[in-house]
Amino acid sequence: MIRALVTATTALAALAGLSVLLGTGSWRCAMRVLLDLLTAAGLLRLAGGQGWTALAAAAAIVLLRRLLWAALTAGAPAGPPGRGRNPPARAPDAAG
């Protein structure tokens, strides 16, 4: 039962990641959704297997997700100017 649930979660993770990619056009957002849902599948697998091997596999999945996300966001642009910071100074109008 758990194995089927893990397989279904993994398949739905791929489908959700693809849907986010097509819907938003942001591959970073799609990757984030995919990695989060694959982490959920790994934790479900841990619920089915009560051994050290299952725990090590879940820890490896979480570690891989964190390392992959850190590598992907290392070169991410800061975003548009003025978002989350002071707005850029504007030149005075000619009329004012």
Side-chain angles (χ1 to χ4, degrees):
M1 176 68 181
I2 295 288
R3 182 171 281 178
L5 188 58
V6 169
T7 303
T9 303
T10 303
L12 290 174
L15 183 62
L18 183 62
S19 297
V20 170
L21 178 64
L22 294 175
T24 65
S26 171
W27 67 270
R28 289 180 197 270
C29 187
M31 184 63 72
R32 183 76 183 226
V33 168
L34 177 67
L35 291 174
D36 283 344
L37 291 174
L38 289 178
T39 300
L43 294 175
L44 284 172
R45 182 175 298 142
L46 178 61
Q50 300 292 326
W52 288 106
T53 306
L55 180 62
I61 289 170
V62 170
L63 179 65
L64 180 64
R65 178 201 171 276
R66 304 250 330 167
L67 289 173
L68 184 58
W69 188 247
L72 287 173
T73 58
R83 189 170 192 188
R85 295 179 287 176
N86 293 332
R90 293 180 41 161
D93 291 339

